[in-house]
Amino acid sequence: MSHDPAAPSRTAVLLVDDHQMVIEGLKTLLKTDAAVRVVAQASSGLEALRRLREHPGIEVALVDLNMPQMSGVELTRHIRAAFPAVRVLALSMFHDHASVMEVLEAGGAGYLLKNTTKAELSAAIANVAAGRTHFSQEVGQTLLQHLDVPAQRPDSSPVAELTAREREILRLVAEEKTNQDIARALFISERTVETHRKNILTKTSCKSVVGLIQYAIKHKLLA
């Protein structure tokens, strides 16, 4: 098949699920998406890691959470450690708080339910490929219901007033950028980045990056 060099680049995707029917369903949904190219598939965590070594251009991995031998969360940790440029989008039938938090803490960039629509699947891939996060509406609601910030109390303080620079850094933190990455992108020192991060955590009363992402989602600070 000929390839038009003038055509816009398509996001290279790996599909990981131990059920072939699910793989085929995802491929069918993505077949008409001109912005996505499914370059590999795997039915287990170990096979997924092999596929990533064989296809270094893969940008997004859609990972089923409930797999034997190596769970989707374990696979996500391995991918983030060995292939840090690959963005992981979790797929699950469940959206309980524990599962969502496990994915976030493992380094996942998004969380979709298996009843997702074609439009949302395409949007999620585009978002995580661009360095953003993406959560199904139900998943977002689960996160909001378990916020670890004091915003739920009747006497809660107003939304933290962040400077334009702090909002910029918050977005980069949510994209899992390191202090070094952020310093390079914004042409500032790593020490300045660290100071801004501390100020953001203090202003939002968050104790961790995961809590910060929850807070940012609730208050629409990542838009």
Side-chain angles (χ1 to χ4, degrees):
M1 185 169 62
S2 63
H3 174 66
D4 179 5
S9 62
R10 301 162 73 188
T11 301
V13 172
L14 165 68
L15 305 179
V16 188
D17 198 295
D18 60 322
H19 292 97
Q20 186 62 28
M21 189 178 295
V22 174
I23 294 272
E24 294 303 325
L26 290 169
K27 285 163 72 173
T28 299
L29 286 177
L30 294 171
K31 188 165 55 178
T32 56
D33 188 338
V36 172
R37 184 166 57 98
V38 176
V39 298
Q41 63 187 62
S43 59
S44 69
L46 287 175
E47 186 183 2
L49 294 172
R50 285 199 299 272
R51 295 289 172 264
L52 287 168
R53 285 191 291 271
E54 294 166 359
H55 302 275
I58 288 173
E59 299 162 79
V60 175
L62 268 69
V63 173
D64 176 30
L65 291 188
N66 187 21
M67 294 188 293
Q69 298 173 333
M70 183 189 296
S71 72
V73 170
E74 290 175 291
L75 175 57
T76 298
R77 290 196 189 98
H78 283 298
I79 291 175
R80 297 302 298 153
F83 308 94
V86 176
R87 305 281 286 171
V88 178
L89 186 55
L91 285 170
S92 179
M93 293 175 62
F94 309 102
H95 56 94
D96 57 284
H97 185 246
S99 296
V100 177
M101 292 303 290
E102 275 191 326
V103 169
L104 278 173
E105 288 165 357
Y111 196 115
L112 282 180
L113 297 184
K114 286 193 174 180
N115 64 357
T116 187
T117 63
K118 174 184 172 183
E120 185 176 26
L121 180 60
S122 294
I125 292 172
N127 278 333
V128 300
R132 297 185 289 270
T133 54
H134 189 102
F135 302 98
S136 290
Q137 184 178 355
E138 299 94 331
V139 176
Q141 288 300 316
T142 296
L143 285 172
L144 297 186
Q145 287 164 11
H146 293 81
L147 284 170
D148 63 351
V149 296
Q152 293 175 322
R153 296 202 299 262
D155 60 342
S156 64
S157 10
V159 182
E161 289 189 19
L162 302 181
T163 65
R165 176 63 92 191
E166 287 168 346
R167 282 174 174 259
E168 200 170 16
I169 288 174
L170 173 58
R171 282 193 290 271
L172 291 169
V173 168
E175 291 170 15
E176 300 171 42
K177 304 296 186 188
T178 64
N179 283 358
Q180 186 179 40
D181 293 334
I182 296 171
R184 192 180 298 120
L186 302 181
F187 303 102
I188 57 179
S189 72
E190 287 185 52
R191 180 170 293 190
T192 301
V193 174
E194 184 58 35
T195 299
H196 280 307
R197 286 178 74 131
K198 287 178 181 175
N199 288 342
I200 294 167
L201 288 169
T202 300
K203 285 184 177 182
T204 59
S205 300
C206 294
K207 298 179 180 65
S208 67
V209 171
V210 172
L212 193 56
I213 291 175
Q214 289 179 297
Y215 185 94
I217 292 170
K218 176 179 176 63
H219 297 292
K220 298 180 172 59
L221 298 177
L222 300 179

